[in-house]
Each structure stands twice: as structure tokens, then as C-alpha cells.
Amino acid sequence: VHTVGTAPSPRWGHSACVVNGRMYLFGGCDGNVSYSNLYAYCFVARTWEFVQVSTCPAPRYFATMSPLGDDAGSL
């Protein structure tokens, strides 16, 4: 799939969930680095976006992520 924007670097063990047509991806590991960054992918526009957050948890991988609220998981 051809995408546009700032995509996350290759990684494994990341967490992801879908909310309002976007997939949010957090953390993961590439074998050397454990990540604590957050990205969003829009399925309709096929765009990646780095999400700036004010407070980010410590780097982690193989964690879980769950959406919260009425629109959780809707496309």
C-alpha cells in the first residue's frame, strides 16, 4: 500500500487500536531500541502522522492498547 506522511520505523511488539477510522500505533522494539512514540494511520487517506503528546509512558513492547468511548473501533 502506497502511503504518505511520517510512518513509524520498522518494529515489532507494538500496540495498536482503531478509533474513528484511524489506527493508532504505540511503542514496539526493533531489536536495539524500545520505542515510546505514537503514530496514527488514516485508512481513507492512506496517511501516517506522528502524534505529539504532552506525556508519554516509558518505552515498551508487547503491551496492550484499548480504545475508550462511544466511537471506539468505528470505521
Side-chain angles (χ1 to χ4, degrees):
V1 174
H2 177 73
T3 64
V4 177
T6 305
S9 59
R11 61 190 67 196
W12 49 267
H14 54 274
S15 302
C17 68
V18 175
V19 178
N20 294 331
R22 294 184 185 273
M23 176 179 64
Y24 292 89
L25 183 143
F26 175 77
C29 181
D30 69 4
N32 295 312
V33 176
S34 295
Y35 296 101
S36 65
N37 45 26
L38 180 67
Y39 289 86
Y41 178 74
C42 177
F43 292 104
V44 174
R46 294 184 178 171
T47 56
W48 281 104
E49 174 188 1
F50 175 73
V51 180
Q52 201 68 275
V53 294
S54 58
T55 304
C56 203
R60 60 193 68 199
Y61 50 98
F62 293 121
T64 60
M65 186 178 208
S66 299
L68 208 63
D70 293 339
D71 295 327
S74 65
L75 291 171

